Amino acid sequence: MTTASAGRFEGRVALVTGGAHGIGAATVRRLHAEGATVVVADLDVDAAQRAVDALPDGRTGTAASAVACDITDTASVERAVSTTLDRHDRLDVLVGVAGGTGVHPGLLDGMDDTTWAAGVDLNLAGPARCVRAAAPHLPRGGAIVLVGSVNGLQAFGDEDYSAAKAGLVSLAQNLAVRLGGRGVRINVVAPGTVRTRSWDQRTDPDRLASLYPLGRIGEPDDVAAAIAFLASDDAAWITGVTLPVDGGVLAGPVARFESLGGGGER
Ligand SMILES: NC(=O)c1ccc[n+]([C@@H]2O[C@H](COP(=O)([O-])OP(=O)(O)OC[C@H]3O[C@@H](n4cnc5c(N)ncnc54)[C@H](O)[C@@H]3O)[C@@H](O)[C@H]2O)c1
């Protein structure tokens, strides 16, 4: 379901990394539904093209297209930005969604340096590369939204991934100060558990629903709505913040509250 505020992105061009699947694909649908011209940048360019082809009729073609992009490769990121500019002559919004983690040992359980470096490269250096390439082209009123995680704000395991996501909080604060004078904003969303294929190798994400005060895990559209808000002029005076989109889990996991004798209305 996409409940769009029609027209918030009319006339604007958005580049969405990781837009082929999951939260990124929902973001592409949302921005497109609200009038944006969207370039879907992904390692999996065939899936990016399928995400474009799946958009409602009438707004595809020049209004959406795919580009190959590996956010761990500076030249590839720069090519995705220059391709966007070549196609559309402007870039108003960067959404850095690409990231994630695989199944591997924890830091104290045998994680090697290569695994650590790869996690930090994908989840912190990657978004930083995207910002470095895109920011010089963003006009006054331009916006950057990066996808962090609740893992960057509280302990949930996956140390390499979580430390990298925590780094995005600082990156956004520092760059908000650098970019504010040019009228460009940068913010982070920090999702809790969201139903995407990223859970396929791990667990049934619905098993985690009981942690969430709102009684369910998130859907990609829940996160896309928050991304669209922060990317839009509705958030014109918001920069440098990290917004949890987490069904309340950072307010307090249900089990912790109940173990302390608290009650809830459910
Ligand atoms: N699903 C969750 O529970 C959850 C929770 C918190 C944060 N997140 C974050 O949300 C973002 C999206 O995750 P998702 O769950 O939608 O996963 P997903 O696997 O469905 O989508 C990730 C997308 O990123 C692309 N990608 C991966 N590596 C890339 C690279 N090097 N360069 C370019 N594209 C690349 C993939 O091809 C895919 O299209 C990630 O940053 C993830 O850390 C997810």
Side-chain angles (χ1 to χ4, degrees):
M1 179 201 60
T2 301
T3 312
S5 306
R8 282 195 299 189
F9 296 98
E10 213 63 60
R12 299 192 192 183
V13 176
L15 176 62
V16 181
T17 74
H21 295 282
I23 292 168
T27 302
V28 167
R29 290 194 297 274
R30 178 78 190 221
L31 298 180
H32 182 263
E34 294 198 41
T37 294
V38 187
V39 178
V40 185
D42 206 285
L43 196 57
D44 184 347
V45 70
D46 293 336
Q49 185 59 51
R50 286 195 294 277
V52 167
D53 293 342
L55 291 169
D57 292 346
R59 292 206 45 85
T60 49
T62 56
S65 60
V67 65
C69 177
D70 178 356
I71 67 162
T72 68
D73 176 348
T74 296
S76 174
V77 168
E78 289 174 349
R79 269 197 305 277
V81 170
S82 62
T83 299
T84 304
L85 293 166
D86 288 348
R87 287 178 188 168
H88 304 295
D89 266 342
R90 61 183 297 144
L91 174 59
D92 301 276
V93 173
L94 168 69
V95 186
V97 188
T101 184
V103 178
H104 55 67
L107 184 66
L108 304 182
D109 307 313
M111 186 194 301
D112 58 26
D113 285 351
T114 306
T115 304
W116 174 272
V120 173
D121 194 33
L122 177 61
N123 291 293
L124 178 55
R129 277 183 198 100
C130 296
V131 173
R132 184 174 59 197
H137 304 286
L138 294 176
R140 184 162 287 278
I144 300 166
V145 183
L146 304 178
V147 176
S149 171
V150 292
N151 284 47
L153 298 169
Q154 209 177 85
F156 289 101
D158 287 327
E159 293 86 356
D160 57 317
Y161 172 79
S162 301
K165 293 294 195 185
L168 295 179
V169 175
S170 170
L171 186 71
Q173 289 172 333
N174 280 281
L175 295 181
V177 175
R178 287 294 304 274
L179 295 170
R182 284 181 39 211
V184 173
R185 300 178 299 102
I186 175 167
N187 294 292
V188 175
V189 295
T193 307
V194 179
R195 188 191 316 282
T196 69
R197 64 177 196 155
S198 70
W199 287 95
D200 289 355
Q201 306 302 316
R202 296 165 83 83
T203 185
D204 173 1
D206 281 311
R207 288 185 52 216
L208 304 174
S210 61
L211 291 173
Y212 284 80
L214 288 178
R216 65 170 177 88
I217 64 165
E219 302 296 335
D221 285 339
D222 291 318
V223 184
I227 290 171
F229 163 66
L230 287 173
S232 78
D233 290 347
D234 286 341
W237 209 45
I238 300 175
T239 194
V241 309
T242 295
L243 175 66
V245 184
D246 72 339
V249 76
L250 291 179
V254 173
R256 183 199 297 161
F257 194 66
E258 289 179 347
S259 74
L260 295 171
E265 295 179 26
R266 33 190 80 247

